[in-house]
Amino acid sequence: MSAPPPEAAPEESAAAESGTLRSPGENTVRTALPSGAAKGGSAQASATTSNLELGMWADIRTARSLSFGVNLYQGAPVPHEVTVAWGDGTTHTATITGGEILRDVRHTYPRPGDYTITVTATDSVNHVQAVNQLQFSTAGSYFVPHTPTRLLDTRAGLGAAKAKVGAYTPIRLKIAGSAKVPAGVAAVVLNVTVTNTTAAGHVSVYPSGRKRPESSNLNYGTGQTVPNQVIVPVGKDGYVELYNGGWNAVDLIADVTGYFDRTAADGYTSLNPVRFVDTREGLGAGGQVAGQGTIGVQVTGRSGIPAGATAVALNVTVTNPKQAGHLTVFPSGQAAPSTSSLNFTPGQTVANSVIVPVGADGKINVRNGAWAGTDVIVDVVGYYGAGSKAAFTSTTPGIWEGAPWRLMDSRGLHPGSWPCLAGGYFPMNMDSMNRGDLPIEAYVLNLTVAATTGAGHLSVAPDPYSLDAYRDGRPVSPPRPTSSALNWTAGKDVSNLVQAKPGPHEIVDLWNQSSREVHYIVDWFGEYDAY
């Protein structure tokens, strides 16, 4: 983004939802430098210089970088030495003439955080120095794993009134200060579950103080209990809102499993989805997970996941369950918490995204809360740790107010979209919404399949080809993935959060692994950016 012209810079010093921060010229502090006569400077020039003001602005570019500009208002038409101290121990210097603009100076911080940018402009001719400061917070933040903990259960009056959430009604949930989640937290990872439903509807989760988005996080039908993982920015007041977009009242449950903070240490590394557990084939366990049984899964030391990984991002699927129940995924070495990662009914195949801390021994546990056995599938899509550099952000240039943002709706509500044919795949070009020159580690997407006429599952995988290759006719289809992101049955709209690793040309493939065509709805909720 280029810096705005002088007349476009508003006199305010607040962070706008667009991602621009400003410090107006009126905040400038001027100092007369010790000197004799002003060499080469007239009395008129000195008077003009005494009114020198520095108007500053910073536009968010990526999770850790910015584009910066300074306007030397009312500066004398002589050279000024300008020093920009970024607040991380580094500086940028330039020489510009008073009354002109220093534009589009780019800087990348070594890690997410809150920084004070100090600009000093020195007019050596008229012996005047001007200083202004701008408080800048990076768009990106790092991850903090959190033992799964229940924050909301309207059935029990936890976190909200003991009552169902009314039709087309939001409720507020306190995040900052709850369950040791600190003040100033940037975003939170929640497993949200809707239950006791008597009509169809959807649930949207969004930051307090923001306009409710048109997108949804999960969809439900009559009599269903439906979970979905949510990564949502936290409002400035420390709250998020959960909106029931259904005709009838429902109960809502929310479990925290982590949060994002600018003072944290753990970045994210994406993986091509790797299957760690499939009890149908004896992978990771000798057979079905018994009722009330628990299996341990070694995650570190496999598929490139280092010993220092503090949490893993998973897609967990239940299939062939004999009775209704739930799964709980939790760190090894701890007692199973009273939370759920996904819920199921007899014979159902259902998936949910899960982010879970890793135990000290490098393992996680999966507990079957049903009284009878079930098959379990675990696909690992990434991990968090101090050695990873990618930070999460829900603000990116070109997207108003940040997340969420609808990328695709193949039901005819989005230009250029169409249903995905049976057994086919849709190459989704993600580079069209980003900077092009900076690759993204992973995209945080909420995927929904709609208009289903049979059973199937969706796979998400990086595409090896470029958009030009598709325009020119790519030679062969990419390898068909063996992992799954969500499962569906006929007549059901199903959603799941996906942390999608793109290919080298920023293309993500959505594979329809069924014998019937389906429609896709894709909402962008954020991304992991290493820059």
Side-chain angles (χ1 to χ4, degrees):
M1 289 187 179
S2 61
E7 62 273 13
E11 295 297 305
E12 59 184 27
S13 56
E17 293 292 353
S18 63
T20 299
L21 298 94
R22 306 182 189 277
S23 182
E26 64 191 39
N27 293 341
T28 302
V29 176
R30 289 177 295 276
T31 304
L33 299 177
S35 66
K39 181 180 179 181
S42 65
Q44 181 180 2
S46 297
T48 303
T49 305
S50 68
N51 294 321
L52 173 63
E53 292 184 352
L54 308 180
M56 304 159 55
W57 57 89
D59 288 323
I60 291 171
R61 290 190 67 241
T62 66
R64 294 187 287 118
S65 74
L66 58 86
S67 174
F68 186 75
V70 183
N71 190 341
L72 273 64
Y73 292 109
Q74 304 183 56
V78 296
H80 289 63
E81 298 300 321
V82 178
T83 300
V84 182
W86 299 111
D88 60 0
T90 64
T91 60
H92 173 85
T93 59
T95 301
I96 61 174
T97 301
E100 295 185 351
I101 302 173
L102 179 63
R103 297 180 181 273
D104 199 22
V105 181
R106 300 190 176 189
H107 181 68
T108 300
Y109 286 100
R111 54 161 295 111
D114 301 315
Y115 297 92
T116 300
I117 303 172
T118 303
V119 175
T120 304
T122 303
D123 176 356
S124 298
V125 174
N126 297 286
H127 303 281
V128 174
Q129 188 175 80
V131 178
N132 196 359
Q133 292 185 327
L134 173 67
Q135 305 301 318
F136 181 80
S137 297
T138 60
S141 51
Y142 279 163
F143 182 71
V144 180
H146 192 293
T147 300
T149 305
R150 184 143 293 173
L151 296 184
L152 173 69
D153 190 339
T154 59
R155 302 169 303 178
L158 174 65
K162 186 178 179 180
K164 282 188 171 184
V165 181
Y168 303 105
T169 300
I171 60 169
R172 285 163 48 82
L173 176 62
K174 184 180 181 182
I175 300 298
S178 299
K180 298 183 179 180
V181 177
V185 61
V188 65
V189 181
L190 300 173
N191 194 65
V192 177
T193 304
V194 61
T195 190
N196 296 327
T197 60
T198 57
H202 68 272
V203 175
S204 297
V205 187
Y206 53 99
S208 173
R210 290 257 191 102
K211 180 182 177 182
R212 176 172 56 85
E214 296 182 1
S215 60
S216 62
N217 294 94
L218 60 89
N219 300 76
Y220 60 85
T222 302
Q224 284 189 314
T225 296
V226 180
N228 197 13
Q229 183 169 258
V230 174
I231 300 178
V232 58
V234 177
K236 293 179 181 179
D237 60 0
Y239 284 76
V240 299
E241 298 193 23
L242 297 90
Y243 174 80
N244 172 25
W247 288 102
N248 292 345
V250 299
D251 279 309
L252 292 177
I253 303 162
D255 303 323
V256 59
T257 63
Y259 58 89
F260 293 87
D261 189 88
R262 293 184 182 90
T263 64
D266 293 347
Y268 181 71
T269 297
S270 61
L271 301 172
N272 291 332
V274 183
R275 183 147 293 177
F276 274 35
V277 176
D278 189 341
T279 60
R280 300 169 304 177
E281 301 176 358
L283 176 64
Q288 285 198 335
V289 181
Q292 304 294 304
T294 299
I295 61 171
V297 182
Q298 181 71 43
V299 293
T300 61
R302 301 174 59 185
S303 300
I305 302 177
T310 57
V312 285
L314 315 170
N315 196 72
V316 180
T317 304
V318 160
T319 190
N320 304 319
K322 297 177 180 178
Q323 292 182 357
H326 66 274
L327 286 189
T328 299
V329 185
F330 60 101
S332 175
Q334 300 181 15
S338 57
T339 59
S340 61
S341 301
L342 62 85
N343 301 73
F344 52 86
T345 56
Q348 184 183 24
T349 298
V350 59
N352 197 26
S353 179
V354 175
I355 296 175
V356 61
V358 176
D361 58 359
K363 295 182 179 181
I364 60 171
N365 289 335
V366 181
R367 181 179 184 272
N368 175 16
W371 291 102
T374 183
D375 281 308
V376 174
I377 302 163
V378 177
D379 296 320
V380 179
V381 300
Y383 64 89
Y384 301 86
S388 300
K389 299 301 182 184
F392 173 76
T393 177
S394 60
T395 300
T396 195
I399 298 182
W400 69 278
E401 293 189 352
W405 192 60
R406 181 143 291 178
L407 296 180
M408 171 185 171
D409 190 333
S410 68
R411 297 171 299 180
L413 304 178
H414 191 282
S417 297
W418 55 86
C420 189
L421 299 178
Y425 72 99
F426 182 91
M428 190 164 56
N429 178 29
M430 303 299 296
D431 191 45
S432 61
M433 56 170 287
N434 273 293
R435 293 151 295 281
D437 57 334
L438 298 174
I440 301 301
E441 183 71 20
Y443 294 94
V444 179
L445 308 173
N446 200 71
L447 303 183
T448 303
V449 292
T452 58
T453 58
H457 69 275
L458 170 70
S459 298
V460 180
D463 191 300
Y465 301 121
S466 67
L467 190 61
D468 286 340
Y470 279 98
R471 289 170 178 155
D472 297 338
R474 79 283 181 262
V476 293
S477 296
R480 183 177 293 273
T482 58
S483 60
S484 64
L486 60 85
N487 301 71
W488 66 84
T489 55
K492 302 295 183 182
D493 292 351
V494 180
S495 300
N496 198 11
L497 186 81
V498 175
Q499 304 202 139
K501 178 182 176 67
H505 305 284
E506 298 299 308
I507 294 180
V508 173
D509 288 338
L510 309 179
W511 286 82
N512 174 14
Q513 308 271 33
S514 75
S515 59
R516 310 281 182 89
E517 71 175 26
V518 295
H519 282 281
Y520 294 150
I521 302 106
V522 183
D523 294 316
W524 179 94
F525 277 80
E527 62 196 35
Y528 293 95
D529 187 342
Y531 297 92

